[in-house]
Amino acid sequence: MTMSTSSTVVKAQELKNQGNDAFRMGQIHQALELYSSALDNLSNESKTTTTQEHNELAAMLFSNRAMCRLKQYDNIKIQHPTDPVISMNQQSILSGCIKDCTEGLRYVESQLVSSSSLVTTKSKLLYRRAKAYYHLSTVEDLQTNREDVQSNINLSAKDLLSLLSFDESNTEASELLRTVKQKYGMMGGGRSKVARALDYLRGTAGNKEIETTPLGCLRILQASLADDAMTSSEEIGRNGGVSLLLSIARHGVNDPSSQKDASERVQCRIASLHILSACCSHDSFIIKYASRDCLPPATLAQIVEEEEHQLDGSTDTAIASMALLIRLIVHWDHREVMRFFAAKIEEDGTIVKDDGALFPHVPEVDSSSVCRVAIAALSWGGKHPEEGTASTTTATPRAALDLLSAWTASDLEALDAASDACFDSSPSTAFSNKQFKKAVCAKITQEEMRTMKPRQVAAHRKREVEYRTVNLQRAVQHVSMFCNQETGGLDAMLVLCARTNDHRLRREVGLQIGRMMAVLEEQDEVKKLVAGVLGCRDWKMGNESGEGAGGLERLTIEELDEEKDEEGRREEKENDSEVEMLAIMKRGQLTASLLIGKPDVGTWALKHGWSNGNGVEELKQLISSNDSRAMSIASELVSEAASVESARPLLSRLVEEGTLDDLLVHPDADVRSGAASCAAKIGLASKALSEDEGEVMELLDVAIELLFDEDGNETLNASNNSSKKTSLSKVPHTNSSTETTSMDRGIEVITYLASKTFVKNKIVNGYKPKGSPPNRKTAIQRLVEIACAPTSGDAQMAYGLAGIFNLLAVSTETLQKEAFVGKEITKEQYDQLQALGKTEEEKEVEAKKGEKESDNPQAVTDRIQKLANASVPRAMVKLLEGSKSDSTQQKLLEGMGRMASEQSVRGVMIQQGCLSACLQLDKGDKPNETEKKILRHARSCVAKMLVTTNPSILTVSQRSGSIGPLMKLVKDNDALDLMHFEALLSLTNLAGFGDETKNRIIASSGISVISYAMFSDHEMVRQAATEALCNMVPHPQMMEYLRKEDNLKIWVAFASDYEENFGCARAAVGCLAMAIPDPDIASALIRTSNFRDMIRTLMECGQVELMHRVLVLISGLIEHGGACREAVVATGAGAFCEAYVASYHDGQNMKELSFSRAEQRTISAILRLAKDIVNMLR
C-alpha cells in the first residue's frame, strides 16, 4: 500500500464515521452525502492498486448509502402514502439503492479471502437489495406493468435465498422472504387467495376456483391478514372489499347454502367486521379505502340498533361494529395530533404551517352515529333484570364504555390509552398490528429541548397549549351532546346503572359518567346539564350568587304546587312505585358519579340539587328499600361522599343514627363494602371511632370478610382467562378513583383502620373474625395471597396493600416524626407548644390515651419479624414487579425500607427477592423528580439490607449489581444523611469481601465518590466514608491514590483530628497502617509536613485504639529502614515506647486505672508492639 492510498483510506474512514453519527441522529440526507464523499475519495485510487482494506471499506460505504436510501423511501411513504407524484421519486430512490447494493457486492466478490466483517457486509447488501426490489414491486405506478412487478419479486426472492444459504439465522431475511413468497403467489396462477375469496363472496367466482363456504372465504381473508396485514389489507381495499364486507356485515352473505344455518350467517357478519377492523389498523388503508363515504359510521350505528331491537340480537355483531367504529375514531384523533405537530419550528420560533399536502384534512366520525351506537348498546345492558339475564348482556354496554372513552379523550395521555386499549380489546387483535405512533411522542423530551433554541421551545410549548385547548373543547362538545336530554345518553347510562344486576358494570358506568363530567371545566355548566335528571327546579340552588333568586322561585313554585295539591296527589297515586324508585336510583347514581368526577358539584347535588335539597331523605329510601340494586347505589354514593371533605358532614348523621347498619349487614359484599368504607372514613375523620375499640373491630371484621369476596377473586384471576380482553374503560384520568371491587373496598377500610396500634397487632398475630371457617386463612395470609396474585400489582388495590404493609412495619410515633422532617420545628417542639394550651385534665387524658396507643420499638420489631415470616416481603416484591404506578412503587419501597431497618429480617428479605427487585427497578436515562425519588428509596432499601448482610450469601450478580446503585445514592445530593451513611456502610461491607467487589467499586469511580463523601457535614457520614476507603486497601488503584502526597495530607489531617472526629481518626490511622508496607506510600508519608505532629499526637492521645494503630504504622515504617526509620526516630517514638513499656510492663498500673477487658487486651497488644519497636530501634 502506498502512502497516498493509506491517507485516502483514512480520510474515507473519517467521513464514514461522520456519516454514521449523522445517521444515528436521524440526519439521513447529511449521512448520505458523507458516504458519497467517502466513496468519491476512494474512487480516486486506481483499481489495480486497491487493497482488501479499500474494498471492504467501499463495500461498507455502498451498504450504508443503500440503507440511507431505504430510510428516505420509508419516510416518503409514511408522509405521502397516496401522492402519485411522489411514487416516481420513490422509484428513483429504490433504483439508486439497488445500484449501490450491486456495486457493493462487486467489491465483496472481488475478494479471494472473506473475513467475518466482509460476510456481514455481504449479508446486509443482499438484504437491502432484496428489500428494495420488493418495495419497487409495490410502487403504484409499476402496478400496471405486471411483468416488471413479477421480475422484481423474483429478483428479491433470489437475493434472499442467496443470503439465507450462508446466514440461516437471519430472521429479518426469513420474514421478508415469507412476504415475498405471498406476493409471488398473488402474481402467479392468475389471482391470489384474497382476490379469489372476494370474488366468491360476490358470487362471481367459478365453482372450481375455490372450494369452500362463505364463512370459509372470510376465514381465508383473516388468515391472510394474520400472515401479512399490510399487504392483505391493501389488496382487500384495492379489490373493492370494503363495500362488500360492509354489505355482509349488514345483511349477511347472499348465498342460499349459508342461510340454512343462522349461526353461520351471524358468524359471517362478525368475521366481516373483524376483517374491516384489522384493515383499519393501518393509516393508509383508512385514507384510501375507508373514508366516511366508503365506510359510513351511520351504517355501523344502524347495525347496532337493529341488533338491539331484535329479541335474539347478536351481541358479538354489535361489539364488532363498535370495535370498528373505535378504530375510525382513534385514527382520526391520531391524525389530528400528527397534523397539529408536524409543522416545522424555525430557530426564531416561527411555525411553518402545513399546506395540507402532508396531512390532508379527514372528516371526523360524525357525532350522531357515535351517540346512536352508544345509547343502543347501553340500552342492551338493562334488559330483563327481573329474570337475572342482565349479566349475559354486559359485554355490549362495556363496549359502549370503550367507545365513549375513546370519543371523549381530552388529552394526549388519554388518547394513547384509548388507542392501546382499542388494539388490545378488539376481537381482531390476533391479526392486527399497532401502527399508530404514540400521541405523547409529540411532546419534546428534555434531550430534544437542549438542542432547541429558546424560541423554538417556547413555540412548541405554545403549540401544545393550543392543542390541549382545541382537543378539550372538542371533548366538551362531545360530552355535552351525548349527555343532554334531547340525545338521552346520560339517561341511558343511569337507567343501565339502576336496572343491571351486575355491580361491577354499574361501577364502570358510574365511573365513565364521572370522567365525562370531569371534562366540563365550569361547575355551572355541569349543574345545568344534570339539574333535570337530579329533579332540581333551579340549578342555581345553593349558589352564593343565586341563593336569593332560587328561594323566590322555589316559593312561587311551592304556592303553585299547593294550588294543584289535590291533582298532584291523584297523579302520585297513579305512578308506579317502581318508576318512582327508578328515578331515585338514577338521581343517586348521578350524585355518586359527580362525587367522582366533580366533587364540589357532587356535594352540591347531595345538599341542594338532588330533589331540591331532599337528597339525604331519598338516600335513606335507597338504603331501606331492601332492593340490592338500590342499596348498592346507596353504598357506592356514601363511600364516594365520605372521600370528599365537604360532603362528610351530610353523612355524619347517618353514621350516628345507625342508618348505615342495613348496608353493613347486607348479604351482598358489594353493598357492605361501600358502607364499611364510609363508616371508616367518617368515623376516623371525626374521631368518633378513635376511642371505641369495639366499633373498630366490627369494621375490621367486615373488611376482612370482603377480602374473600368472589367478585374480587374474579378480578385476581382475570389474567388467567384468555378470553378476557382489555377494556377501554380503564383509560386513566385525572381523578384517582377507578373501578372498585368489594375486595378493593375491604383493603381500603383496612388501610384506614391499620393506623390503630391494636389493629396492627391483631393483623400480624393471625387475626380471624369470629365465626370464620376453620380452614380460612388469617387476615395477613389473605393480604399476602392477594398481593401475590398475577394482576394485583397493576390493580387499584395495589396502593392500599402497599399502605397496609407499610403501616404494619412502623409505629405511629415514627410516622409523626417523619411528618416534621424538613420543617422548621420538630415533633417534640410542636408537642410542647400544644401542651401550653391544654389544661391538666386534658394532659392527663392525652397521657392515658398515649399509653393505650403506645407502640414501643420492641413491639415494632416483633411485628416486622412476623411480617417476614408471613412472606410479606415476597408479597411486596410481587406488587412492585407488577406495578406501573409511581405512588404505589414509592409506598412499597418505603415499606421495604422500614422492614430492612430491622437487622434480623434482612436475610429473609433478600431470600424473598427484595434485593433483586430493588436492583432491577429502572426509570430510564432521564427520570423525572418523582421517579428520582422512587430510585432513591430503592437504593436506600439496598443499602439497609446490605449493611450487615454477609456478602458471601449473595450471588455474584447481586454483589456486583448493588455497587452501582449504592454509589449513585452516595452521590445523590438530595438524599438524607442517613441514606448516605447506610450506603457507605454497605460499600464498606462489600469492599471487605474481596477483589471482585473492590474492582466493581473502582469501575464505578468509587474512590473519587467516596473521597468526596469524607467531607460531608455529618460526622457519621465522614466516618463511614473513611472506613469504606480503608477497606479498599490494598487494591492497586487505592494504593495509587494514597501514593499522592496531596491525598496523604488529607488522611494525616483526618488521623490527627481525633478530638473532634474520633471515628474518622481511627479509620484514617487504620488505613495508613494497612497501606504502609508499600514503600512509595511510606516515603510519601514521611515527607508530609504534619507527619511528626500526627505521630506524637496519636501516641500521647490516651485512646488505646488509636495508640495501637499508630504503633502498627510506626512498626511498618521502621521495617522499611533508611529515611523511614530516621523519620520515626525523629518523632521520639522510641523514647515513648520505652517509657510506655516501663509503666505497664508489670500490669499493676492497668489494674489501678480500671480498664475494661477489651481495653486490657488492646493494651497488651500495645505493649508487645512497643517492645518490638524498642528492639527494632536499638
Side-chain angles (χ1 to χ4, degrees):
M1 179 184 295
T2 64
M3 183 63 69
S4 61
T5 302
S6 175
S7 62
T8 302
V9 171
V10 170
K11 178 62 177 177
Q13 183 65 49
E14 290 177 355
L15 290 169
K16 172 180 170 289
N17 294 337
Q18 294 174 20
N20 293 345
D21 292 338
F23 186 89
R24 279 192 291 268
M25 295 173 65
Q27 300 169 354
I28 307 302
H29 182 72
Q30 184 179 351
L32 192 147
E33 290 183 342
L34 287 166
Y35 294 141
S36 298
S37 298
L39 285 167
D40 290 339
N41 270 270
L42 291 179
S43 66
N44 293 329
E45 291 185 64
S46 172
K47 294 185 179 179
T48 59
T49 61
T50 56
T51 63
Q52 181 172 348
E53 182 183 11
H54 168 277
N55 290 339
E56 287 187 6
L57 181 56
M60 283 189 285
L61 286 167
F62 278 114
S63 176
N64 290 359
R65 193 166 74 174
M67 185 64 218
C68 289
R69 298 192 193 280
L70 284 175
K71 193 69 177 177
Q72 285 182 328
Y73 166 80
D74 289 337
N75 291 339
I76 292 175
K77 185 178 179 181
I78 291 172
Q79 295 176 1
H80 305 278
T82 61
D83 194 335
V85 177
I86 298 298
S87 67
M88 293 300 296
N89 191 21
Q90 291 176 330
Q91 294 175 42
S92 175
I93 290 172
L94 292 172
S95 297
C97 177
I98 293 169
K99 184 178 178 180
D100 280 344
C101 291
T102 303
E103 190 66 18
L105 286 168
R106 186 180 66 79
Y107 278 100
V108 171
E109 299 300 336
S110 68
Q111 297 303 116
L112 297 177
V113 180
S114 294
S115 63
S116 59
S117 62
L118 206 60
V119 172
T120 302
T121 303
K122 180 179 179 181
S123 177
K124 291 179 179 178
L125 286 165
L126 285 170
Y127 176 75
R128 288 165 184 171
R129 189 169 69 174
K131 197 170 184 180
Y133 276 130
Y134 173 72
H135 284 320
L136 199 57
S137 72
T138 63
V139 176
E140 281 194 31
D141 283 8
L142 286 178
Q143 300 280 345
T144 57
N145 191 333
R146 185 180 184 81
E147 291 181 0
D148 286 345
V149 174
Q150 183 74 62
S151 174
N152 289 327
I153 286 294
N154 290 338
L155 290 170
S156 178
K158 181 180 177 181
D159 279 345
L160 292 169
L161 290 170
S162 175
L163 189 164
L164 292 170
S165 67
F166 64 88
D167 188 7
E168 296 178 348
S169 61
N170 194 316
T171 55
E172 288 183 329
S174 299
E175 182 69 18
L176 181 57
L177 181 60
R178 187 169 62 84
T179 304
V180 168
K181 285 181 177 179
Q182 183 178 8
K183 182 80 173 180
Y184 184 86
M186 295 177 184
M187 300 303 303
R191 299 187 322 284
S192 67
K193 286 185 178 181
V194 171
R196 284 179 284 163
L198 291 172
D199 284 348
Y200 183 95
L201 293 170
R202 289 192 188 92
T204 60
N207 294 332
K208 295 182 180 180
E209 188 169 0
I210 185 167
E211 296 181 2
T212 185
T213 63
L215 183 59
C217 286
L218 292 168
R219 296 289 185 241
I220 289 173
L221 295 178
Q222 289 180 319
S224 180
L225 284 164
D227 197 38
D228 186 352
M230 180 68 78
T231 303
S232 298
S233 61
E234 178 70 23
E235 189 174 6
I236 289 171
R238 193 171 58 248
N239 286 280
V242 173
S243 58
L244 173 62
L245 292 169
L246 190 60
S247 176
I248 295 173
R250 177 76 191 284
H251 305 292
V253 180
N254 187 20
D255 184 75
S257 62
S258 66
Q259 303 299 325
K260 297 177 182 178
D261 188 353
S263 64
E264 183 173 338
R265 178 177 178 273
V266 172
Q267 290 179 48
C268 287
R269 299 178 65 198
I270 296 169
S272 65
L273 289 165
H274 288 182
I275 293 168
L276 285 171
S277 185
C279 290
C280 289
S281 301
H282 307 289
D283 196 53
S284 59
F285 179 88
I286 297 179
I287 294 171
K288 290 193 285 186
Y289 307 115
S291 62
R292 186 189 288 188
D293 295 333
C294 300
L295 186 57
T299 302
L300 299 177
Q302 198 167 3
I303 292 173
V304 178
E305 289 174 336
E306 290 173 353
E307 294 301 317
E308 190 273 329
H309 290 149
Q310 295 176 16
L311 291 175
D312 58 346
S314 169
T315 59
D316 289 338
T317 303
I319 292 171
S321 298
M322 284 185 277
L324 177 53
L325 187 57
I326 291 171
R327 297 270 182 172
L328 300 176
I329 291 172
V330 172
H331 156 75
W332 188 90
D333 281 337
H334 275 264
R335 186 124 184 120
E336 281 298 292
V337 173
M338 294 166 66
R339 185 180 65 82
F340 210 93
F341 289 98
K344 181 182 177 181
I345 303 177
E346 301 290 353
E347 290 189 0
D348 61 356
T350 303
I351 299 177
V352 181
K353 296 295 184 181
D354 176 34
D355 59 2
L358 188 59
F359 294 104
H361 176 71
V362 177
E364 184 180 1
V365 176
D366 65 283
S367 299
S368 60
S369 296
V370 177
C371 293
R372 286 170 56 194
V373 169
I375 292 172
L378 291 167
S379 302
W380 210 315
K383 289 182 177 180
H384 313 300
E386 65 280 356
E387 286 106 15
T389 59
S391 61
T392 63
T393 56
T394 57
T396 313
R398 282 193 168 98
L401 297 180
D402 296 349
L403 175 63
L404 290 172
S405 295
W407 190 52
T408 58
S410 59
D411 53 46
L412 296 179
E413 289 77 9
L415 186 57
D416 282 332
S419 174
D420 290 343
C422 168
F423 284 98
D424 290 341
S425 64
S426 171
S428 55
T429 298
F431 45 89
S432 68
N433 293 314
K434 295 185 180 181
Q435 298 293 324
F436 288 119
K437 184 179 179 180
K438 289 286 188 184
V440 292
C441 292
K443 293 185 175 181
I444 56 175
T445 64
Q446 291 295 325
E447 185 175 353
E448 291 171 330
M449 194 180 300
R450 283 192 288 270
T451 65
M452 297 174 70
K453 302 293 183 182
R455 290 186 178 181
Q456 288 178 305
V457 175
H460 184 83
R461 294 295 188 207
K462 181 180 179 181
R463 185 166 60 179
E464 283 185 325
V465 172
E466 290 176 357
Y467 173 79
R468 283 197 298 268
T469 302
V470 170
N471 202 49
L472 181 60
Q473 289 174 351
R474 185 172 59 86
V476 169
Q477 291 174 358
H478 289 172
V479 170
S480 301
M481 177 179 180
F482 182 76
C483 292
N484 65 42
Q485 292 185 358
E486 183 179 351
T487 304
L490 178 59
D491 188 70
M493 298 179 83
L494 294 173
V495 169
L496 173 59
C497 289
R499 288 182 173 172
T500 183
N501 291 318
D502 189 317
H503 297 317
R504 295 187 65 188
L505 175 60
R506 180 182 299 110
R507 290 195 188 105
E508 292 171 25
V509 177
L511 179 59
Q512 182 59 40
I513 295 172
R515 288 174 181 159
M516 292 193 299
M517 294 300 108
V519 170
L520 306 176
E521 293 184 323
E522 297 295 330
Q523 292 188 15
D524 288 350
E525 190 177 2
V526 181
K527 291 178 182 179
K528 290 177 185 178
L529 193 62
V530 302
V533 183
L534 286 172
C536 177
R537 297 190 186 99
D538 182 9
W539 63 268
K540 295 181 181 179
M541 293 177 65
N543 290 1
E544 291 182 7
S545 59
E547 188 77 51
L552 284 173
E553 190 172 340
R554 288 196 301 276
L555 179 60
T556 305
I557 293 173
E558 286 171 6
E559 291 175 357
L560 291 173
D561 286 346
E562 186 175 352
E563 293 175 3
K564 299 183 179 181
D565 188 49
E566 185 176 351
E567 181 182 351
R569 281 196 294 269
R570 285 198 304 270
E571 291 176 355
E572 288 177 7
K573 291 178 182 179
E574 294 173 0
N575 285 338
D576 185 83
S577 59
E578 183 179 347
V579 174
E580 183 180 355
M581 180 54 67
L582 176 63
I584 296 175
M585 291 166 69
K586 287 164 59 179
R587 292 193 281 268
Q589 180 61 58
L590 178 55
T591 302
S593 297
L594 288 170
L595 287 164
I596 295 172
K598 285 286 186 182
D600 291 339
V601 180
T603 303
W604 166 84
L606 188 60
K607 187 176 182 180
H608 302 287
W610 184 350
S611 294
N612 300 307
N614 199 37
V616 176
E617 294 304 316
E618 290 196 353
L619 173 59
K620 291 180 180 179
Q621 291 183 46
L622 293 176
I623 294 173
S624 60
S625 65
N626 204 29
D627 183 325
S628 62
R629 295 169 299 174
M631 298 177 78
S632 176
I633 291 174
S635 176
E636 190 74 18
L637 193 157
V638 296
S639 176
E640 296 298 341
S643 301
V644 180
E645 185 176 357
S646 58
R648 285 176 189 154
L650 302 174
L651 302 180
S652 298
R653 186 157 48 92
L654 299 181
V655 177
E656 295 168 2
E657 294 174 352
T659 307
L660 298 185
D661 291 349
D662 288 342
L663 301 179
L664 288 168
V665 298
H666 196 275
D668 192 324
D670 178 82
V671 175
R672 295 198 306 273
S673 65
S677 174
C678 172
K681 295 171 187 175
I682 295 293
L684 293 177
S686 63
K687 299 183 180 180
L689 290 173
S690 301
E691 301 172 4
D692 194 329
E693 186 173 327
E695 289 187 14
V696 173
M697 292 308 299
E698 287 178 7
L699 280 176
L700 181 62
D701 288 350
V702 173
I704 293 174
E705 288 295 331
L706 293 173
L707 299 182
F708 296 89
D709 177 46
E710 293 181 1
D711 182 43
N713 286 327
E714 291 175 4
T715 302
L716 290 180
N717 297 326
S719 63
N720 299 324
N721 183 357
S722 60
S723 64
K724 188 172 180 66
K725 301 178 177 68
T726 306
S727 172
L728 276 180
S729 59
K730 301 296 190 298
V731 175
H733 55 97
T734 55
N735 192 282
S736 60
S737 301
T738 56
E739 181 202 342
T740 309
T741 65
S742 298
M743 186 182 293
D744 294 325
R745 292 285 193 218
I747 292 170
E748 180 185 31
V749 173
I750 295 176
T751 305
Y752 277 92
L753 301 180
S755 61
K756 316 293 291 182
T757 301
F758 69 89
V759 172
K760 297 178 188 179
N761 294 330
K762 288 279 187 183
I763 292 174
V764 299
N765 285 302
Y767 178 73
K768 288 184 182 179
K770 292 180 180 179
S772 299
N775 59 346
R776 175 172 283 185
K777 292 179 171 63
T778 64
I780 190 65
Q781 289 173 335
R782 180 57 176 163
L783 289 169
V784 169
E785 181 181 40
I786 294 170
C788 291
T791 58
S792 288
D794 199 29
Q796 179 189 355
M797 66 182 71
Y799 184 80
L801 289 166
I804 292 171
F805 294 145
N806 198 341
L807 287 170
L808 295 177
V810 69
S811 67
T812 305
E813 184 178 0
T814 299
L815 289 174
Q816 291 172 346
K817 288 182 178 179
E818 288 178 355
F820 285 89
V821 173
K823 304 292 195 307
E824 296 181 355
I825 187 173
T826 65
K827 177 183 178 300
E828 290 74 15
Q829 292 171 332
Y830 176 80
D831 290 341
Q832 292 173 2
L833 291 174
Q834 289 289 98
L836 294 176
K838 294 179 181 178
T839 64
E840 292 299 323
E841 292 180 354
E842 289 174 332
K843 291 179 182 178
E844 187 176 343
V845 171
E846 287 287 334
K848 290 181 179 179
K849 182 180 178 182
E851 292 176 3
K852 184 177 179 180
E853 282 288 318
S854 63
D855 200 7
N856 58 63
Q858 185 57 47
V860 176
T861 297
D862 292 342
R863 282 205 305 271
I864 290 175
Q865 291 172 345
K866 291 174 181 176
L867 290 173
N869 294 333
S871 298
V872 168
R874 179 175 289 108
M876 290 195 287
V877 167
K878 293 293 184 183
L879 290 172
L880 185 63
E881 290 174 345
S883 175
K884 298 177 183 177
S885 165
D886 289 343
S887 56
T888 300
Q889 290 180 357
Q890 187 171 329
K891 187 64 70 175
L892 287 166
L893 291 168
E894 285 179 5
M896 285 186 188
R898 297 190 195 287
M899 290 193 67
S901 298
E902 171 52 39
Q903 179 179 342
S904 62
V905 303
R906 290 170 184 164
V908 176
M909 291 182 69
I910 293 172
Q911 290 174 0
Q912 295 186 16
C914 291
L915 178 61
S916 297
C918 291
L919 294 178
Q920 292 168 6
L921 198 64
D922 182 27
K923 292 296 181 182
D925 296 332
K926 299 188 180 298
N928 57 37
E929 290 304 316
T930 301
E931 291 170 338
K932 287 179 182 177
K933 191 173 183 180
I934 292 171
L935 290 172
R936 189 177 301 127
H937 278 293
R939 293 162 187 165
S940 177
C941 287
V942 172
K944 288 178 182 293
M945 284 185 275
L946 297 183
V947 168
T948 57
T949 300
N950 185 349
S952 63
I953 71 170
L954 305 177
T955 65
V956 175
S957 61
Q958 286 176 331
R959 284 193 296 268
S960 300
S962 299
I963 290 170
L966 291 173
M967 298 301 300
K968 290 177 180 177
L969 185 58
V970 174
K971 292 191 293 184
D972 189 350
N973 293 327
D974 294 325
L976 300 174
D977 288 328
L978 176 61
M979 293 179 177
H980 290 152
F981 174 68
E982 290 171 336
L984 290 164
L985 289 185
S986 295
L987 287 169
T988 304
N989 187 22
L990 290 170
F993 177 73
D995 290 341
E996 170 201 310
T997 48
K998 285 186 174 71
N999 289 334
R1000 186 68 178 177
I1001 292 173
I1002 294 297
S1004 302
S1005 304
I1007 293 178
S1008 60
V1009 172
I1010 299 173
S1011 299
Y1012 184 79
M1014 289 174 63
F1015 297 93
S1016 168
D1017 293 335
H1018 200 284
E1019 178 185 353
M1020 298 300 291
V1021 176
R1022 294 197 298 271
Q1023 177 181 337
T1026 311
E1027 291 175 349
L1029 285 181
C1030 182
N1031 266 20
M1032 291 297 294
V1033 175
H1035 191 280
Q1037 293 292 329
M1038 183 63 191
M1039 303 300 281
E1040 183 64 29
Y1041 164 80
L1042 289 173
R1043 290 187 187 107
K1044 298 177 180 178
E1045 289 190 29
D1046 289 341
N1047 294 334
L1048 272 178
K1049 288 179 182 179
I1050 296 173
W1051 284 84
V1052 169
F1054 268 68
S1056 305
D1057 190 25
Y1058 71 91
E1059 292 182 344
E1060 295 294 330
N1061 298 288
F1062 176 78
C1064 289
R1066 180 180 58 189
V1069 177
C1071 179
L1072 294 174
M1074 292 170 63
I1076 208 63
D1078 184 284
D1080 293 335
I1081 293 176
S1083 299
L1085 178 62
I1086 63 174
R1087 289 197 299 269
T1088 57
S1089 57
N1090 48 357
F1091 167 72
R1092 292 184 183 182
D1093 292 338
M1094 178 193 73
I1095 297 296
R1096 291 171 179 171
T1097 299
L1098 293 175
M1099 287 191 301
E1100 299 170 0
C1101 68
Q1103 299 287 344
V1104 292
E1105 286 185 83
L1106 295 179
M1107 292 172 65
H1108 177 260
R1109 297 187 183 204
V1110 76
L1111 291 181
V1112 172
L1113 173 63
I1114 291 171
S1115 177
L1117 286 169
I1118 295 173
E1119 288 180 356
H1120 286 293
C1124 292
R1125 186 178 187 279
E1126 294 175 2
V1128 171
V1129 172
T1131 63
F1136 173 83
C1137 289
E1138 288 180 359
Y1140 195 86
V1141 171
S1143 299
Y1144 293 101
H1145 71 282
D1146 58 359
Q1148 184 61 38
N1149 287 342
M1150 279 196 290
K1151 294 179 181 179
E1152 293 176 358
L1153 294 174
S1154 302
F1155 286 118
S1156 66
R1157 290 185 179 181
E1159 289 174 326
Q1160 289 177 16
R1161 287 194 295 270
T1162 304
I1163 290 177
S1164 298
I1166 292 173
L1167 281 171
R1168 288 194 296 272
L1169 281 170
K1171 290 177 182 178
D1172 291 342
I1173 290 171
V1174 171
N1175 292 330
M1176 293 169 70
L1177 292 176
R1178 284 177 181 171

